Amino acid sequence: MASSGEASLSAAMQAAQNGDAAAYRALLRDCVPVIAAMVRAKGVRGAAVDDVVQETLLTVHRARATYDPDRPFLPWLRAIAQRRAIDVLRRTGRRPREVHDPLAYEAGIDDGPLPGHALDVGERDRILTAAVARLPEGQRQAIEHIALRELSLDEAAASTGRTKGALKVNFHRALKALRTYLSSAKEGTDA
C-alpha cells in the first residue's frame, strides 16, 4: 500500500482512538482487503480467509488503545493479522479432515501390488541370483558383502581379507558385468 494509504489508515486509527465512529467504520472497511491479502500470503485459503479477517478485526477492536499514532499503522496491523493466521493454520492443521468424494475413490490409483507381482519378484530374484553366481570370486564377494549384506567398506574388507581399494574395483566391475548380463537376460538372449 502506498505511503498515502498508510498515512490515511494511521490518521483514521488516531481519529477512532479519539472517539470518531465514522472514521473507525471507514478504517475497518478499508482494512478488510489489506488483511485478506496479508493472510493469503501467510498460506490461509478458502473460507478460512474470512474467518481470519473477522478475528483480526476483533483483535484490532480490542487492542485499538495500544496503537501508537507516532508509528506506522500497517506493521501493527500485519503483526495482528499474521498471528491470527497462524492460529487458524495451527487449528486446521491439527484437526483431521474427512473428504467425501466418491469419484476420487473410483478414479484413484491403487498403490497395492499388481496381480502376479510376487511371481515377478521371484523371477527377478532367480535371475539376479544366477547373475551373481556367474561373477568371478572377488566380484561376487564384493557384491555379496557391500550390496546384499550392506556392509561398509571397512567391514567388508575385514570380512574378506581384501583391501578397500580392491573391493571398490571388484564392486564396480561386478556392477558393470551384472548390467550387461541382466540387460541381455531382459532381451531374452544369454550372454
Side-chain angles (χ1 to χ4, degrees), residues 136-149 151 156 160 162 166-172 174:
E137 179 67 19
Q139 293 178 11
R140 188 173 41 74
Q141 280 184 345
I143 289 293
E144 287 175 351
H145 287 81
I146 296 170
L148 301 178
R149 293 185 192 163
L151 298 178
T160 62
R162 298 178 186 265
L167 281 171
K168 285 181 183 180
V169 169
N170 283 326
F171 183 75
H172 289 289

Side-chain angles (χ1 to χ4, degrees), residues 39 44-55 84-85 88-89 92:
V39 299
V44 178
R45 298 288 178 253
V49 171
D50 293 334
D51 295 341
V52 175
V53 168
Q54 293 303 317
E55 288 181 30
R84 295 301 77 85
V88 166
L89 289 171
T92 58

Side-chain angles (χ1 to χ4, degrees), residues 4-177:
S4 64
E6 167 78 35
S8 67
L9 289 173
S10 183
M13 184 59 161
Q14 188 172 5
Q17 286 177 323
N18 293 329
D20 187 346
Y24 189 50
R25 280 192 300 275
L27 170 74
L28 295 178
R29 183 191 64 238
D30 292 344
C31 285
V32 168
V34 175
I35 296 168
M38 289 175 181
V39 299
R40 280 191 194 99
K42 204 65 175 152
V44 178
R45 298 288 178 253
V49 171
D50 293 334
D51 295 341
V52 175
V53 168
Q54 293 303 317
E55 288 181 30
T56 303
L57 291 175
L58 285 171
T59 304
V60 165
H61 177 72
R62 287 187 207 113
R64 70 183 180 273
T66 65
Y67 172 69
D68 180 3
D70 294 332
R71 304 195 66 153
F73 177 76
L74 285 177
W76 183 79
L77 179 66
R78 182 176 294 109
I80 294 171
Q82 287 179 343
R83 287 185 179 106
R84 295 301 77 85
I86 289 169
D87 291 344
V88 166
L89 289 171
R90 284 181 180 151
R91 279 194 307 265
T92 58
R94 290 183 187 141
R95 204 175 321 137
R97 297 180 312 189
E98 184 170 331
V99 177
H100 177 70
D101 188 2
L103 291 177
Y105 290 116
E106 292 174 12
I109 297 172
D110 185 8
D111 293 333
L114 297 172
H117 174 74
L119 296 174
D120 291 343
V121 170
E123 180 66 15
R124 282 195 307 249
D125 286 348
R126 186 189 61 73
I127 292 171
L128 183 60
T129 301
V132 171
R134 293 177 56 146
L135 293 172
E137 179 67 19
Q139 293 178 11
R140 188 173 41 74
Q141 280 184 345
I143 289 293
E144 287 175 351
H145 287 81
I146 296 170
L148 301 178
R149 293 185 192 163
E150 297 181 355
L151 298 178
S152 69
L153 278 173
D154 291 328
E155 293 168 334
S159 177
T160 62
R162 298 178 186 265
T163 66
K164 290 193 298 186
L167 281 171
K168 285 181 183 180
V169 169
N170 283 326
F171 183 75
H172 289 289
R173 287 180 181 168
L175 288 177
K176 185 176 179 183

